[in-house]
Amino acid sequence: MSIKSFLPGRLGFGTAPLGNMFRAIPDEEAAATVDAAWNNGIRYFDTAPFYGAGLSEIRLGEALTDRPRDEFVLSTKVGRVILDEIEDPSARDLGEKGGLFEHGRPNKIVNDYSADATLRSIEDSLKRLKTDRLDIVWVHDVAQDFYGDEWLAAYETARTGAFRVLQRLRDEGVIKAWGLGVNRVEPLELTLDLEEPKPDAFLLAGRYTLLDHERALQRLLPAAKAQNVDIVVGGPYSSGVLAGGQHFEYQKAPAPVIAKVERIKALAEEYGVGIKAAALRFSLAHPAVAAAIPGASRPSRIAEDVAALGEKVPAAFWTALRTEGLIAPDAPVPTA
């Protein structure tokens, strides 16, 4: 099923920050941020057990508990099981995401993409989210940035475990859709080449943004569109560096990235364009993209995102980006 048929708009809320990503967020601030999303008309919320070892799911579930369940779309992820056992959050091996959730809960995180773990993960997520159903389930981080040279082994476990379970749950009507939620294009390209099982959509974080899109443009997005596999863009601000933050790829942004951001910002200023509007509108312009889900940990950020989505961006701005070599020549841009 195309997720475009049930997604309530093109802007959702990625709730990784609610898992205390980068900083410890007070419960009240987390709740106020979800309320701000709701009050600004956002009705698609994405989370994962990985975000703060269940903290994001717990906070999101609490904040949405009095909202009518039929009025919003909810997605979470499988591939990590959260235990009652305690570990040191700062000592976890998170691949390229090291230290990301060191302010989260200390519960032990176990990587497991098997069929049994997938079912257990969903059951646990339902409890944390205080809900009776999930709309979309993503297979989380089965890619090089987390597993390095071992990623294909993890992928194969997911292919014979999580993929098949989620396809069955979708076919039975337990969930509406499933796919992969990753930060790399390779696992998605591999999945599109499979005869079975067939996903409905992909959540691709950080790989179709103003700063980084050329690889996804080459094969992934055309193939996804041809197979009617929708793309949800995660991290449209490239971990925040496009929106005034210091992070790129979940780590401190390197000098070449900062320099490119400054060039984009200079052009945005010249044409009277907000940087968030440029980033969001660009990510959503590709016909394969169904939605974008920027994260936020402060209520004010949500209103900025909603305003950015409605901002008019002159065609001359996109032409200038192309002329300066800041976006790919073949990247679709908004027409209005």
Side-chain angles (χ1 to χ4, degrees):
M1 173 190 289
S2 168
I3 64 170
K4 288 177 183 173
S5 66
F6 63 84
L7 278 184
R10 305 207 72 199
L11 186 65
F13 177 23
T15 67
L18 303 189
N20 282 354
M21 185 166 76
F22 302 132
R23 69 183 180 99
I25 301 161
D27 287 339
E28 303 75 31
E29 192 175 348
T33 304
V34 179
D35 287 345
W38 186 275
N39 294 335
N40 276 280
I42 290 173
R43 295 293 183 271
Y44 171 36
F45 300 88
D46 176 73
T47 185
F50 181 61
Y51 303 155
L55 182 59
S56 171
E57 288 187 322
I58 289 167
R59 285 173 159 173
L60 183 61
E62 192 63 43
L64 293 176
T65 190
D66 293 328
R67 312 288 189 186
R69 182 61 186 88
D70 291 341
E71 290 186 16
F72 62 91
V73 169
L74 192 57
S75 62
T76 192
K77 305 180 182 76
V78 295
R80 273 70 172 247
V81 176
I82 312 301
L83 306 181
D84 290 334
E85 202 176 316
I86 300 301
E87 64 182 1
D88 178 1
S90 64
R92 292 173 180 142
D93 179 8
L94 303 182
E96 293 177 17
K97 296 180 182 177
L100 194 57
F101 291 106
E102 61 187 10
H103 301 291
R105 297 163 78 223
N107 296 61
K108 188 171 185 178
I109 301 173
V110 176
N111 303 321
D112 194 337
Y113 297 90
S114 67
D116 286 347
T118 298
L119 291 168
R120 176 177 172 181
S121 181
I122 289 172
E123 193 176 306
D124 290 349
S125 288
L126 290 171
K127 288 175 187 167
R128 287 190 290 264
L129 287 162
K130 295 185 171 182
T131 188
D132 61 349
R133 67 188 186 279
L134 301 168
D135 298 296
I136 308 170
V137 178
W138 310 109
V139 181
H140 203 189
D141 280 342
V142 60
Q144 305 95 311
D145 58 323
F146 196 88
Y147 293 101
D149 291 341
E150 302 299 313
W151 83 271
L152 283 169
Y155 180 92
E156 186 60 14
T157 302
R159 185 187 70 79
T160 57
F163 289 16
R164 291 175 180 172
V165 166
L166 295 178
Q167 175 136 310
R168 190 187 81 233
L169 292 178
R170 183 202 61 202
D171 293 347
E172 291 172 354
V174 176
I175 60 176
K176 291 180 181 176
W178 75 277
L180 279 68
V182 293
N183 298 273
R184 293 288 184 270
V185 300
E186 292 85 355
L188 306 186
E189 293 176 347
L190 200 58
T191 305
L192 287 174
D193 287 338
L194 297 177
E195 290 296 321
E196 268 308 305
K198 286 292 182 188
D200 305 282
F202 295 134
L203 169 50
L204 178 62
R207 298 280 79 76
Y208 197 68
T209 71
L210 269 178
L211 282 180
D212 185 349
H213 54 268
E214 297 205 16
R215 176 69 195 270
L217 265 177
Q218 291 169 12
R219 178 169 177 253
L220 174 64
L221 293 184
K225 186 164 187 318
Q227 294 188 32
N228 295 314
V229 175
D230 298 320
I231 303 290
V232 173
V233 171
Y237 307 136
S238 293
S239 296
V241 72
L242 275 171
Q246 304 297 311
H247 293 94
F248 173 73
E249 290 291 284
Y250 309 105
Q251 305 296 329
K252 193 88 169 165
V257 168
I258 292 170
K260 187 173 181 179
V261 170
E262 289 307 315
R263 290 173 66 201
I264 293 171
K265 281 184 175 174
L267 282 176
E269 203 168 296
E270 183 181 334
Y271 287 92
V273 175
I275 190 71
K276 276 192 165 186
L280 266 186
R281 298 291 303 281
F282 176 83
S283 291
L284 288 167
H286 197 286
V289 173
I293 53 167
S297 61
R298 292 182 174 89
S300 60
R301 301 285 188 247
I302 303 287
E304 291 174 12
D305 294 335
V306 173
L309 193 61
E311 191 177 316
K312 285 198 69 87
V313 179
F317 169 69
W318 304 114
T319 303
L321 285 180
R322 280 214 175 101
T323 303
E324 294 277 325
L326 292 167
I327 59 173
D330 55 340
V333 294
T335 54

